[in-house]
């Protein structure tokens, strides 16, 4: 049963290697991509069921007992995030053939697609800090290839910025891992947590923790380190933007989740209190960016930043209610961001532009797209009874329990502005003056709408069916609030 922990890494890796040999046969690659992604979703769904029923799955590779060997830890948080990753992979796999990739599909798009899923899944599952760095590099190398796919001038410009900032943060990451090893003599996260606990998180360890936060904050695009993200995420094809927006920053915030609920939990007055202010500033500056642009793709890209702020808020408040809210909101945001990136990609395609000022009257020709965007705006903003509302309610309730009133007000105001930022796309693009675009030629959206409906339906179900999903988030929060459970399950003490 322990081998289940490695399968979400092995399956996309095998898929990527197989698809390399079928690169020139586009139709075969498309079919295999759909098949492998569906198998991955089924497998990850079974793993979630198994973990929730029987507890954490630990794989000690090569039969080397922890902490001496590489350990994969499929706990409830990792299992849920791996399943969410595969949900997004399925949607993107079915969207990609209609995404207008053209000859870019022949540039090894599908192998890099699965290499990215491999890196993301590995980052969620690994129980080793150095291997977290390794899986970060796997997903980043795949993203470097995907962001330049096609070689347009604007892609090359933005990819250079993306590459440099991630190389710098990776350099800091491996340096921080070396400091951790020098301080506690191990890179196994369970044993690091144990030794930090024994040392009562002395000054040098807190400093290393702050360095790790800086690394993960850069990759998660928190304030003030978000400047590289928006344009980098909108220059590729929409299906690539959906993968980036849903997965890459979430690996960064997951790493903060893991490290600062497991290892650095003994000086919360020096670490977690600061997180609350970073969360608030991310909300404010992210939504300012979304309101300041008329590019519909950039509006969605900037909305990633306040979402990361909301998730960080729960980690900063550090009580069970807030942590459960962060978990719920994290899954919600992965799904809705992928849906929105795919949706605005279709809107830009049918309008022939991503400039909101040049759009209008689309509701007459594409009513379904308009109402899907309307629903997506409500889901994103956290209007009841959708999934965003459940996550934000728990987060703000947790903040209220911790008496953080200012951040509650910032969160409420940000939510209203998030709604406005997306609603203005609906108002101007669909209900605006149709003469702004001239005669609208009907374009086929076959194959594009179904994946978006699939993702939005999941978001709605997560909200309407919260009584079934909330207990899972609550159990994950209770588990994360007691680091000793993780330590004992890995080290078998």
């Amino acid at each position: 049963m322990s081998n289940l922990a490695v399968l979400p890494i092995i399956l996309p890796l095998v898929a990527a290697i197989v698809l390399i040999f079928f690169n020139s046969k586009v139709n075969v690659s498309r079919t295999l991509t759909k098949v492998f992604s569906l198998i991955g979703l089924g497998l990850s769904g079974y793993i979630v069921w198994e973990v929730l029923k029987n507890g954490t799955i630990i794989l000690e590779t090569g039969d080397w007992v922890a902490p001496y060997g590489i350990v994969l830890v499929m706990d409830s948080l990792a299992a849920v995030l791996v399943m969410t990753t595969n949900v997004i992979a399925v949607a993107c796999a079915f969207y990609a053939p209609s995404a207008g990739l053209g000859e870019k599909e022949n540039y090894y798009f599908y192998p890099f697609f699965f290499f990215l899923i491999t890196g993301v899944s590995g980052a969620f599952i690994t129980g080793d800090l150095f291997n977290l760095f390794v899986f970060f590099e796997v997903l980043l190398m795949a993203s470097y290839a995907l962001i330049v796919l096609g070689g347009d001038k604007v892609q090359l410009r933005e990819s250079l910025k993306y590459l440099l900032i991630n190389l710098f943060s990776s350099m800091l990451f491996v340096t921080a891992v070396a400091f951790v090893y020098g301080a506690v003599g191990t890179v196994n996260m369970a044993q690091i947590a144990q030794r930090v606990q024994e040392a009562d998180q002395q000054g040098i360890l807190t400093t290393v923790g702050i360095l790790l936060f800086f690394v993960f904050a850069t990759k998660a695009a928190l304030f003030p380190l978000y400047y590289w993200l928006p344009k980098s995420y909108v220059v590729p094809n929409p299906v690539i933007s959906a993968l980036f927006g849903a997965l890459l920053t979430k690996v960064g915030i997951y790493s903060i989740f893991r490290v600062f609920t497991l290892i650095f939990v003994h000086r919360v007055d020096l670490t977690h209190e600061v997180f609350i202010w970073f969360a608030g500033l991310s909300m404010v500056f992210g939504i300012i960016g979304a309101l300041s642009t008329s590019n519909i793709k950039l509006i969605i890209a900037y909305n990633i930043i306040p979402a990361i702020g909301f998730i960080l808020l729960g980690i900063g408040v550090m009580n069970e209610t807030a942590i459960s809210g962060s978990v719920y909101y994290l899954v919600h945001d992965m799904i809705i961001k992928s849906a929105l990136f795919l949706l605005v990609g279709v809107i830009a395609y049918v309008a022939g532009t991503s400039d909101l000022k040049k759009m209008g009257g689309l509701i007459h020709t594409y009513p379904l797209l308009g109402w899907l965007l309307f629903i997506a705006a409500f889901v994103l903003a956290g209007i009841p009874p959708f999934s965003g509302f459940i996550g934000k309610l728990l987060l703000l309730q947790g903040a209220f329990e911790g008496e953080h009133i200012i951040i509650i007000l910032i969160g409420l105001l940000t939510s209203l502005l998030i709604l406005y930022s997306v609603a203005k796309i609906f108002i101007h693009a669909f209900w605006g003056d149709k003469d702004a675009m001239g005669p609208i030629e009907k374009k086929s959206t076959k194959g594009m709408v179904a994946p978006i409906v699939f993702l939005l339906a999941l978001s709605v179900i997560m909200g309407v069916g919260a009584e079934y999903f909330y207990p899972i988030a609550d159990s994950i929060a209770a588990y994360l609030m007691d680091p000793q459970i993780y330590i004992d399950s890995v080290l078998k003490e």
Side-chain angles (χ1 to χ4, degrees):
M1 191 60 69
S2 63
N3 288 328
L4 281 175
V6 76
L7 289 181
I9 301 172
I10 295 295
L11 179 65
L13 181 61
V14 170
I17 294 169
V18 168
L19 284 163
I20 289 173
F21 296 100
F22 292 98
N23 182 61
S24 60
K25 299 178 179 178
V26 174
N27 288 330
V28 176
S29 294
R30 290 172 174 178
T31 302
L32 286 175
T33 298
K34 293 174 182 177
V35 170
F36 276 120
S37 62
L38 286 170
I39 293 172
L41 179 57
L43 173 65
S44 59
Y46 173 73
I47 290 173
V48 168
W49 179 81
E50 187 67 39
V51 169
L52 294 178
K53 180 183 177 184
N54 298 317
T56 301
I57 300 171
I58 308 291
L59 176 63
E60 296 170 332
T61 58
D63 284 335
W64 284 87
V65 178
Y68 304 107
I70 296 171
V71 178
L72 299 177
V73 183
M74 184 68 81
D75 59 8
S76 52
L77 177 62
V80 167
L81 294 181
V82 166
M83 182 178 174
T84 308
T85 299
N86 280 279
V87 165
I88 293 158
V90 167
C92 291
F94 279 81
Y95 183 96
S98 306
L101 285 164
E103 64 178 16
K104 295 177 184 179
E105 285 184 281
N106 294 323
Y107 299 159
Y108 297 93
F109 166 75
Y110 293 107
F112 284 122
F113 172 91
F114 279 110
F115 280 130
L116 183 72
I117 301 300
T118 301
V120 171
S121 299
F124 289 148
I125 298 168
T126 185
D128 181 293
L129 198 58
F130 181 75
N131 277 294
L132 179 61
F133 164 75
V134 170
F135 282 117
F136 259 112
E137 294 309 297
V138 171
L139 70 91
L140 285 173
M141 283 188 286
S143 71
Y144 297 152
L146 289 171
I147 199 173
V148 299
L149 204 65
D152 294 340
K153 182 178 179 180
V154 66
Q155 284 181 271
L156 296 175
R157 185 188 70 227
E158 294 302 326
S159 64
L160 180 62
K161 181 170 60 178
Y162 176 82
L163 176 66
L164 289 175
I165 193 69
N166 278 291
L167 283 176
F168 176 69
S169 63
S170 294
M171 179 188 69
L172 289 180
F173 192 179
V174 76
T175 303
V177 172
F179 281 141
V180 169
Y181 186 77
V184 298
T186 183
V187 290
N188 179 282
M189 285 194 273
Q191 194 173 37
I192 294 171
Q194 186 182 57
R195 293 187 176 179
V196 169
Q197 187 180 58
E198 290 170 355
D200 196 30
Q201 196 176 319
Q202 299 298 326
I204 182 64
L205 293 172
T206 301
T207 303
V208 172
I210 292 169
L211 178 58
L212 281 171
F213 173 74
F214 179 82
V215 170
F216 298 143
T218 303
K219 295 184 182 295
L222 283 162
F223 174 87
L225 305 166
Y226 65 85
Y227 55 87
W228 59 270
L229 180 145
K231 291 185 178 179
S232 298
Y233 276 26
V234 301
V235 292
N237 185 276
V239 71
I240 298 171
S241 297
L243 287 168
F244 284 14
L247 301 178
L248 298 194
T249 52
K250 304 311 185 294
V251 176
I253 197 67
Y254 161 80
S255 301
I256 296 174
F257 235 127
R258 183 64 78 189
V259 169
F260 289 92
T261 60
L262 174 65
I263 299 172
F264 300 104
V265 294
H266 309 287
R267 288 288 186 272
V268 293
D269 55 324
L270 296 176
T271 52
H272 293 58
E273 286 288 331
V274 177
F275 294 174
I276 296 173
W277 293 108
F278 275 109
L281 290 168
S282 297
M283 293 178 200
V284 171
F285 281 87
I287 197 58
I288 288 172
L291 295 173
S292 67
T293 181
S294 60
N295 184 314
I296 61 172
K297 294 181 179 180
L298 273 177
I299 290 171
I300 304 305
Y302 271 111
N303 266 300
I304 293 173
I305 300 158
I308 297 295
F310 274 107
I311 299 165
L312 183 65
L313 170 60
I315 305 170
V317 172
M318 199 63 179
N319 59 40
E320 190 171 320
T321 305
I323 292 291
S324 64
S326 284
V327 172
Y328 211 101
Y329 199 85
L330 174 57
V331 175
H332 143 81
D333 196 66
M334 291 172 73
I335 295 171
I336 192 60
K337 282 299 188 308
S338 57
L340 277 165
F341 271 109
L342 296 179
L343 185 52
V344 297
V346 180
I347 295 169
Y349 161 70
V350 299
T353 179
S354 53
D355 187 350
L356 196 55
K357 296 176 182 177
K358 298 177 181 178
M359 296 183 191
L362 288 174
I363 196 71
H364 302 290
T365 315
Y366 303 97
L368 179 57
L369 290 181
W371 294 115
L372 287 175
L373 180 65
F374 181 79
I375 295 170
F378 275 62
V379 173
L380 181 67
I383 304 300
F386 301 117
S387 54
F389 171 74
I390 307 300
K392 285 181 181 176
L393 177 64
L394 292 168
L395 284 166
L396 298 180
Q397 182 182 339
F400 184 78
E401 291 172 6
E403 299 182 353
H404 300 288
I405 306 303
I406 295 176
I407 197 67
I408 293 174
L409 297 175
I410 293 173
L412 290 172
L413 178 60
T414 301
S415 297
L416 290 174
L417 294 176
I418 287 172
L419 177 61
Y420 172 71
S421 70
V422 182
K424 73 177 183 179
I425 303 176
F426 178 71
I427 294 167
H428 294 289
F430 288 90
W431 292 101
D433 183 7
K434 62 181 180 180
D435 294 332
M437 291 181 60
I440 300 175
E441 180 185 348
K442 180 76 172 179
K443 296 180 181 178
S444 174
T445 57
K446 183 181 178 182
M448 299 182 185
V449 175
I452 297 167
V453 171
F454 167 66
L455 292 169
L456 282 179
L458 288 177
S459 294
V460 172
I461 290 169
M462 276 187 66
V464 176
E467 60 183 300
Y468 302 106
F469 298 104
Y470 169 69
I472 299 173
D474 190 50
S475 67
I476 293 173
Y479 164 77
L480 292 174
M481 289 296 293
D482 186 359
Q484 198 60 44
I485 300 173
Y486 183 100
I487 295 169
D488 291 344
S489 63
V490 174
L491 300 181
K492 297 180 174 60
E493 294 186 352

